[in-house]
Amino acid sequence: MARFGLPALLCTLAVLSSALLAAELKSKSCSEVRRLYMSKGFNKNDAPMHEINGDHLKICPQGYTCCSQEMEEKYSLQKFFKELLENAEKSLNDMFVKTYGRLYMQNSELFKDLFEELKRYYVVGNVNLEEMLNDFWARLLERMFRLVNSQYHFTDEYLECVSKYTEQLKPFGDVPRKLKLQVTRAFVAARTFAQGLAVARDVVSKVSVVNPTAQCTHALLKMIYCSHCQGLVTVKPCYNYCSNIMRGCLANQGDLDFEWNNFIDAMLMVAERLEGPFNIESVMDPIDVKISDAIMNMQENSVQVSQKVFQGCGPPKPLPAGRISRSISESAFSARFRPYHPEERPTTAAGTSLDRLVTDVKEKLKQAKKFWSSLPNNVCNDERMAAGNGNEDDCWNGKGKSRYLFAVTGNGLANQVSNPEVQVDTTKPDILILRQVMALRVMTSKMKNAYNGNDVDFFDINDENSGEGSGSGCEYQHCPLELEYNATDNTGKNTNGKASHADAHVRAQPYLLAVFCILFLVMQREWR
């Protein structure tokens, strides 16, 4: 009974502390959050006055929170882009109905299909934007050609011949070429950026649940509780002592830093594109005007275009006199399209703008540089974990209350060969960490392609049946076979050693609950 007293007491204290902390958080004011939220142009009624239960949150950490479901959705780039497309489609539909009336209504499915494909590209990604836009202009030419030559009968075969002349005749002027370039660059950049944020979230989430090794567990136990055995219950571990232990425990996580920093740099590059030439908002807002200009170009050049088509495809058959439709020049297409005035345009993403969203995200990304290499220090900077640098002679060094004499090792697995506090097998990197490194490397490559305006092959971040998911990187590259072992298995070679390590690991778990809670909170706070 006696040997279970301390763990039971610690568990009881942990539960009581958690309850007190929850009570404190529950009553915490959200006034600062409300002010920040309102400064971004959002509705203050979305933000609670005090922290609420966060079970509704899908992206941000759950628990007591100052974010309502509406706030999380309106902060989301995903929601912004979807609303942007919906509003662009509504804008085009409303104004084409007013301007072209029945003729538009009879052909509205062509424009509806355009926006459906754009939405599908953003949500799923398996759409070739260039081919899709070429198909849209070819189909529009077929419809327009029939309308401007309504005195003739055209078979489906004849209209297929007409569509072949789209590139050669340029009936819509230079609008299709410019719009294709703008739409492709903007959509690729926007979707890649959103995917990058999801990958970053997944990497942090997956890495935060990596199990500690038995050696790490023993080192943490020694650092936090062995001082009690000498009656030093109020003496905190020395800062450098804590740093060495955290570098040993987070050795594999430290190896993420290089690819993570490259990934963050690539994200910032794409963010600059989104603020400038690849701004999807500046492309989609006037898309109705651009398509209307193309239609007017076709109308104004209809005689020359028709003559060249007749030469290439042959003379069409005239309709009987009683069935000849009125010429398109006398129809609703004679009016020049009137675009929305700025005050008439629907707002997107609850009244915010892409520039504002991207600016906010850029600041978070800049703060996330060197996240993994600074994580051990950030953990030890917590006053609950270690004494400050000013108490170097009045701290627990693992043996007594005295200065810690060992040098602090570097970050990453390779540097732990000389770690004096944690025995780390530097020959066996953690497989989950390696997969996250691969995921970051692949996403960085996609970011660079998007930055250069090149199309990107996407994977579905919501696909739960793809092995490790978006954070693994193994959907789009095979994981090396030589890595298929349990890299965190550092158990001994003999049976007694295994039993001893396993027993010590189990007995140490209650002691380490607080440590890993602190570590998890630091990771969440740093990435938030």
Side-chain angles (χ1 to χ4, degrees):
M1 290 292 290
R3 75 177 202 172
F4 292 104
L6 182 56
L9 176 60
L10 289 170
C11 286
T12 303
L13 290 173
V15 171
L16 290 174
S17 298
S18 299
L20 291 172
L21 180 60
E24 179 186 351
L25 289 172
K26 191 171 183 179
S27 61
K28 187 177 178 181
S29 171
C30 294
S31 58
E32 288 296 323
V33 176
R34 281 170 62 85
R35 277 195 290 272
L36 177 63
Y37 187 72
M38 290 166 59
S39 71
K40 298 180 183 297
F42 295 121
N43 190 332
K44 68 176 181 180
N45 294 328
D46 294 338
M49 297 291 293
H50 298 279
E51 286 190 326
I52 57 176
N53 188 295
D55 291 345
H56 56 275
L57 297 178
K58 298 178 181 178
I59 299 174
C60 299
Q62 295 182 341
Y64 283 103
T65 177
C66 283
C67 281
S68 63
Q69 182 176 353
E70 292 78 12
M71 291 171 69
E72 185 181 54
E73 288 177 351
K74 290 176 183 179
Y75 272 135
S76 171
L77 280 169
Q78 197 87 347
K79 181 178 177 65
F80 175 88
F81 292 132
K82 288 180 181 179
E83 282 195 11
L84 183 65
L85 285 173
E86 291 170 359
N87 288 339
E89 182 178 12
K90 184 178 185 300
S91 170
L92 184 144
N93 183 75
D94 290 349
M95 296 313 300
F96 274 41
V97 166
K98 292 178 183 178
T99 306
Y100 303 132
R102 183 174 58 85
L103 287 174
Y104 166 71
M105 296 298 293
Q106 291 172 343
N107 297 278
S108 61
E109 81 282 354
L110 177 63
F111 302 91
K112 183 178 180 181
D113 289 346
L114 169 65
F115 283 98
E116 284 299 321
E117 288 298 291
L118 290 174
K119 290 175 186 174
R120 190 159 72 89
Y121 172 81
Y122 188 79
V123 174
V124 181
N126 59 347
V127 175
N128 186 310
L129 285 176
E130 185 171 341
E131 289 182 3
M132 182 270 292
L133 289 169
N134 287 340
D135 181 64
F136 167 75
W137 291 113
R139 291 173 64 196
L140 183 58
L141 175 59
E142 291 178 12
R143 305 293 178 94
M144 286 292 299
F145 190 80
R146 180 180 282 163
L147 288 170
V148 298
N149 295 285
S150 54
Q151 68 273 32
Y152 296 106
H153 170 72
F154 299 103
T155 63
D156 290 341
E157 291 77 12
Y158 195 96
L159 291 175
E160 284 183 15
C161 179
V162 171
S163 66
K164 295 177 182 178
Y165 283 84
T166 307
E167 283 293 323
Q168 179 184 339
L169 298 178
K170 299 191 184 324
F172 300 112
D174 206 29
V175 173
R177 184 190 67 81
K178 289 181 177 178
L179 191 61
K180 179 166 63 178
L181 186 64
Q182 293 168 345
V183 166
T184 300
R185 287 178 171 180
F187 270 75
V188 168
R191 191 171 196 274
T192 307
F193 192 72
Q195 286 268 318
L197 292 174
V199 167
R201 180 197 64 211
D202 283 357
V203 168
V204 172
S205 176
K206 290 176 185 293
V207 172
S208 67
V209 296
V210 171
N211 290 324
T213 63
Q215 290 79 5
C216 167
T217 302
H218 296 160
L220 285 168
L221 175 64
K222 179 181 176 182
M223 180 182 84
I224 297 174
Y225 294 114
C226 285
S227 58
H228 296 182
C229 301
Q230 297 184 22
L232 304 174
V233 294
T234 62
V235 177
K236 295 179 180 179
C238 298
Y239 184 85
N240 287 349
Y241 176 42
C242 173
S243 295
N244 269 338
I245 289 178
M246 296 316 302
R247 278 169 167 74
C249 288
L250 298 171
N252 285 284
Q253 286 86 337
D255 285 340
L256 282 168
D257 209 53
F258 179 77
E259 291 298 338
W260 176 266
N261 291 338
N262 288 340
F263 165 77
I264 295 295
D265 287 338
M267 287 283 288
L268 290 170
M269 289 167 59
V270 175
E272 290 178 4
R273 291 294 205 207
L274 286 174
E275 291 178 319
F278 297 179
N279 189 313
I280 192 173
E281 196 169 17
S282 65
V283 172
M284 293 308 298
D285 268 355
I287 195 171
D288 45 14
V289 180
K290 294 174 182 178
I291 293 176
S292 181
D293 285 343
I295 290 172
M296 292 306 158
N297 284 332
M298 171 62 188
Q299 180 189 348
E300 292 166 2
N301 299 315
S302 60
V303 175
Q304 300 93 311
V305 171
S306 297
Q307 288 175 349
K308 291 181 179 179
V309 170
F310 294 160
Q311 291 174 4
C313 299
K317 294 180 180 180
L319 285 171
R323 293 181 56 193
I324 294 178
S325 302
R326 204 165 54 169
S327 172
I328 191 63
S329 62
E330 301 173 0
S331 72
F333 277 93
S334 60
R336 174 66 68 171
F337 178 68
R338 181 188 73 83
Y340 273 123
H341 292 297
E343 63 273 12
E344 295 177 9
R345 284 195 175 276
T347 56
T348 56
T352 189
S353 68
L354 180 63
D355 288 342
R356 184 180 294 166
L357 283 172
V358 173
T359 298
D360 287 347
V361 174
K362 279 176 62 178
E363 289 305 311
K364 296 294 184 184
L365 289 172
K366 289 175 183 177
Q367 295 170 15
K369 284 289 292 288
K370 299 184 178 179
F371 171 71
W372 300 103
S373 59
S374 61
L375 189 57
N377 286 344
N378 288 335
V379 173
C380 294
N381 284 335
D382 192 300
E383 62 180 11
R384 293 168 292 183
M385 289 295 294
N389 283 323
N391 296 324
E392 295 177 358
D393 294 317
D394 193 26
C395 57
W396 169 251
N397 65 6
K399 295 181 179 179
K401 182 180 177 182
S402 182
R403 176 181 289 266
Y404 183 73
L405 300 178
F406 292 102
V408 176
T409 62
N411 285 295
L413 192 62
N415 286 319
Q416 304 316 307
V417 172
S418 58
N419 193 313
E421 305 303 336
V422 184
Q423 183 181 354
V424 180
D425 187 346
T426 58
T427 65
K428 291 185 177 181
D430 188 284
I431 186 65
L432 190 147
I433 299 293
L434 290 176
R435 285 172 172 164
Q436 306 318 304
V437 168
M438 188 183 296
L440 290 170
R441 188 175 299 158
V442 171
M443 198 65 219
T444 299
S445 176
K446 294 179 186 294
M447 287 287 171
K448 291 179 178 178
N449 282 332
Y451 175 80
N452 292 321
N454 301 325
D455 205 351
V456 173
D457 292 328
F458 289 108
F459 53 90
D460 185 0
I461 63 173
N462 295 315
D463 186 3
E464 297 180 351
N465 299 316
S466 58
E468 284 292 321
S470 67
S472 71
C474 294
E475 309 95 312
Y476 29 80
Q477 290 187 13
H478 292 295
C479 292
L481 294 177
E482 64 269 20
L483 299 179
E484 295 297 332
Y485 54 78
N486 184 0
T488 58
D489 183 8
N490 294 309
T491 56
K493 294 183 179 180
N494 59 72
T495 306
N496 291 335
K498 288 182 179 178
S500 175
H501 282 177
D503 182 55
H505 189 73
V506 170
R507 283 187 282 111
Q509 293 306 313
Y511 295 98
L512 301 174
L513 175 63
V515 177
F516 289 108
C517 282
I518 292 171
L519 176 59
F520 181 76
L521 289 172
V522 169
M523 293 179 72
Q524 294 288 345
R525 182 181 67 228
E526 289 295 314
W527 177 236
R528 212 174 279 172

